[in-house]
Amino acid sequence: MGFCYQFVRTRKPNVKMVKWTFVHVIVIICILQPVFTKKFTDEEKPAWAKKDIRDYSDADLERLLDQWDEDEEPLPEDELPEHLRPQPKIQFDPTNIQDPEALLKMSKKGKTLMMFVKVKDIYSRENAEEVTKLWQSALWNSHIQAERYMIDGNRAIFMFKDGSHAWEAKDYLIEQEELEECTVENKQYYGRFTPQGREQVKEEKAAKKGKKAKKKKKASKDEL
């Protein structure tokens, strides 16, 4: 038992793994001295609990672990595995139906999301690593948590625990002179200082003008 205590103190273990370690220790102790996780009379004990501890199956050990968990406080939502976290409630806004990016951002809230980032080819691997590190620090200073992993000479992955932050990070990254492009949810966004980025800006401005023209036209029709 002392070994297990020292293991918990010296490392930050997986909670489930630590519990299993203690369960196995209890099983060893039970071989020498009968110990039960609940106070049952012989009549109240379930059939599996009446067996010799050495005859316990994996299912019996799972039940033992479940009994151990009964009196524990539930983990906070942000500490649960992602598949056990409650899904974010998305409030549909009809005014955003023309903005798929806003809908995607809402749907990825609280979910892990990867962004692929590419630095311009003119920079060396060392330069690319240094500049992506600076971008990561800038994002953290803006309360956007992103883990960074270099995967190639000038490519990196930015991992967001809260996927909705990826689009805010994208807005920052495309304004950086060293950025070639970044990809979020299979959509490419080019840096503003690239030919493709300048073309993308023109298209965005044209789209905005078109929307304003449609709104004015609709407003004039309503007045008539």
Side-chain angles (χ1 to χ4, degrees):
M1 185 68 76
F3 167 77
C4 295
Y5 176 72
Q6 185 65 25
F7 177 80
V8 173
R9 290 193 60 189
T10 56
R11 296 190 181 182
K12 186 179 179 183
N14 180 286
V15 175
K16 191 79 173 179
M17 184 178 69
V18 172
K19 287 181 180 178
W20 267 113
T21 302
F22 280 108
V23 167
H24 287 133
V25 171
I26 289 173
V27 169
I28 293 170
I29 295 172
C30 286
I31 293 174
L32 303 176
Q33 179 180 355
V35 174
F36 297 99
T37 56
K38 281 187 175 182
K39 292 182 179 180
F40 286 115
T41 63
D42 289 338
E43 293 76 16
E44 293 175 333
K45 290 177 185 175
W48 66 270
K50 296 178 183 178
K51 293 194 296 185
D52 189 302
I53 195 72
R54 289 167 290 189
D55 297 329
Y56 272 26
S57 65
D58 289 342
D60 296 331
L61 291 174
E62 283 284 355
R63 294 190 190 100
L64 191 66
L65 185 60
D66 289 340
Q67 284 190 0
W68 193 353
D69 288 340
E70 280 180 2
D71 297 329
E72 289 191 357
E73 294 183 4
L75 288 172
E77 290 183 4
D78 59 346
E79 293 184 19
L80 289 171
E82 188 169 314
H83 67 282
L84 294 179
R85 296 176 199 160
Q87 295 298 314
K89 295 179 181 179
I90 300 176
Q91 295 181 347
F92 179 72
D93 184 356
T95 61
N96 282 340
I97 197 168
Q98 301 298 328
D99 189 356
E101 189 174 290
L103 294 175
L104 260 178
K105 183 177 177 180
M106 291 171 60
S107 69
K108 297 301 178 181
K109 185 170 181 61
K111 297 181 180 180
T112 302
L113 184 65
M114 288 192 303
M115 172 194 286
F116 294 91
V117 177
K118 183 179 179 183
V119 179
K120 289 178 179 177
D121 292 330
I122 60 173
Y123 295 97
S124 66
R125 178 183 176 85
E126 290 75 17
N127 292 145
E129 188 163 359
E130 184 63 30
V131 76
T132 53
K133 189 184 295 184
L134 291 173
W135 293 344
Q136 182 190 25
S137 298
L139 292 174
W140 276 81
N141 289 338
S142 299
H143 307 290
I144 298 175
Q145 297 183 13
E147 300 301 328
R148 179 186 60 94
Y149 307 94
M150 295 300 297
I151 57 174
D152 203 351
N154 62 342
R155 290 171 60 85
I157 289 176
F158 277 47
M159 184 82 73
F160 301 90
K161 189 174 181 180
D162 185 342
S164 64
H165 290 163
W167 283 269
E168 296 173 55
K170 178 266 297 181
D171 291 339
Y172 163 75
L173 291 173
I174 60 176
E175 299 295 338
Q176 307 310 306
E177 187 174 355
E178 301 89 349
L179 182 79
E180 177 72 29
E181 65 179 40
C182 59
T183 305
V184 187
E185 288 293 284
N186 297 318
K187 183 173 180 180
Q188 290 177 309
Y189 299 90
Y190 294 97
R192 300 297 193 210
F193 294 89
T194 64
Q196 301 96 323
R198 286 189 284 269
E199 189 63 32
Q200 206 168 46
V201 170
K202 289 179 183 178
E203 291 174 1
E204 289 173 0
K205 287 181 178 179
K208 286 180 181 178
K209 284 182 180 179
K211 286 180 183 179
K212 286 181 180 179
K214 284 183 180 179
K215 285 183 180 179
K216 286 182 180 180
K217 190 175 181 181
K218 186 180 178 181
S220 61
K221 281 184 179 180
D222 292 341
E223 288 176 0
L224 294 174

